[in-house]
């Protein structure tokens, strides 16, 4: 498939680039700073664009089969995070103009403000408040996608991310904001593996899916 990839220079994005190329896909990495992506491959094109501008993204989405996003924005205590919603509004606008309707994007467990009520004590009272600004904006982005009728979106919700290559472990999935009775950590390589597995499946179209590994 032809994949337009946002967030390719990030930690998860780099795993996604590598695995997509290994699987024989063609990747257009849409980045702010092309110098940050050190991979070279015949099926990889690296382009520079403003991820907050539909006009800037549109030419790079032309003739692509799918947009995949691993974009991440840092937490902020002093002002709200807006990067997820602003970038996705630009992405959807560019997709419509380029006539492409499939997007797979990554958020996190516990984006819904009420979903952490059953989480372990330290997560509920220490971790979630620290990253709430990020989770809130991810949740807004998820709700924005839910209102788009013409876009076949999938939101992938991994738990805490570890910098590990892909494993061969089975995936556990749940249509919700976390996977009940399971581990709260997953390798970034497995996030990439799961996202790419969705290219050949309609199981989670227009849905959000929480996942982890067994």
């Amino acid at each position: 498939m032809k994949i337009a990839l946002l967030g390719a220079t990030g930690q998860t994005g780099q795993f996604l680039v590598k695995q997509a190329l290994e699987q024989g896909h063609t990747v257009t990495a849409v980045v702010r700073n092309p110098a940050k992506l050190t991979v070279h491959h015949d099926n990889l094109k690296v382009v520079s664009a403003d991820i907050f501008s539909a006009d800037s993204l549109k030419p790079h989405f032309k003739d692509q089969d799918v947009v995949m996003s691993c974009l991440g924005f840092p937490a902020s205590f002093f002002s709200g995070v807006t990067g997820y919603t602003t970038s996705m509004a630009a992405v959807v606008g560019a997709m419509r103009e380029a006539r492409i309707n499939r997007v797979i994007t990554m958020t996190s467990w516990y984006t819904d403000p009420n979903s952490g009520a059953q989480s372990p004590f330290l997560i509920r009272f220490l971790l979630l408040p620290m990253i709430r600004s990020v989770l809130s904006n991810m949740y807004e982005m998820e709700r924005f996608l839910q209102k788009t009728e013409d876009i076949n979106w999938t939101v992938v919700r991994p738990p805490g991310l570890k910098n590990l290559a892909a494993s061969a472990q089975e995936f556990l999935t749940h249509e919700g904001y976390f996977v009940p009775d399971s581990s709260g950590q997953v390798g970034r390589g497995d996030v990439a593996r799961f996202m790419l597995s969705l290219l050949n499946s309609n199981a989670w179209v227009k849905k959000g899916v929480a996942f982890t590994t067994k």
Side-chain angles (χ1 to χ4, degrees), residues 109-126 128-129 132 174 177-184:
W109 280 19
Y110 305 127
T111 50
D112 180 323
N114 302 313
S115 60
Q118 306 301 315
S119 61
F121 183 87
L122 282 177
I123 290 176
R124 188 158 78 243
F125 294 108
L126 190 65
L128 294 183
R132 180 45 62 195
H174 182 69
Y177 295 92
F178 59 96
V179 180
D181 307 318
S182 62
S183 158

Side-chain angles (χ1 to χ4, degrees), residues 9 12-13 24 27 35 39 60-61 72 86 106 127-128 183 185 188:
T9 57
T12 306
V27 179
V39 185
H60 308 305
F61 286 2
T86 316
M106 178 179 92
L127 178 65
L128 294 183
S183 158
Q185 288 198 313
R188 293 177 190 275

Side-chain angles (χ1 to χ4, degrees), residues 139-172:
Y139 186 57
E140 281 177 61
M141 180 184 79
E142 293 173 355
R143 294 184 62 170
F144 166 76
L145 285 171
Q146 284 161 13
K147 290 176 191 154
T148 61
E149 291 178 8
D150 55 332
I151 301 293
N152 288 329
W153 56 271
T154 301
V155 168
V156 171
R157 301 184 181 116
L161 300 174
K162 296 185 288 188
N163 233 357
L164 295 174
S167 70
Q169 286 176 299
E170 200 181 318
F171 290 121
L172 299 172

Side-chain angles (χ1 to χ4, degrees), residues 23-40:
Q23 290 178 21
H25 300 295
T26 302
V27 179
T28 299
V30 183
V31 298
R32 280 168 285 197
N33 180 2
K36 275 188 166 179
L37 198 61
T38 54
V39 185
H40 299 282

Side-chain angles (χ1 to χ4, degrees), residues 52-128:
F52 301 118
S53 160
D55 287 342
S56 183
L57 292 170
K58 182 176 68 174
H60 308 305
F61 286 2
K62 220 169 158 29
D63 303 322
Q64 302 293 319
D65 297 312
V66 59
V67 176
M68 301 184 86
S69 174
C70 302
L71 289 171
F73 301 93
S76 167
F77 285 107
F78 306 108
S79 59
V81 174
T82 58
Y84 294 96
T85 39
T86 316
S87 61
M88 189 52 74
V91 165
V92 167
M95 286 173 67
R96 285 178 175 140
E97 291 193 46
R99 306 210 168 163
I100 163 178
N101 74 349
R102 181 79 175 110
V103 61
I104 299 168
T105 189
M106 178 179 92
T107 60
S108 169
W109 280 19
Y110 305 127
T111 50
D112 180 323
N114 302 313
S115 60
Q118 306 301 315
S119 61
F121 183 87
L122 282 177
I123 290 176
R124 188 158 78 243
F125 294 108
L126 190 65
L127 178 65
L128 294 183

Side-chain angles (χ1 to χ4, degrees), residues 3 45 63 71 80 100 123 125 131 134-135 139 175 195 208:
I3 301 168
K45 183 173 154 195
D63 303 322
L71 289 171
I100 163 178
I123 290 176
F125 294 108
I131 60 168
V134 165
L135 295 175
Y139 186 57
E175 190 177 345
M195 289 178 78

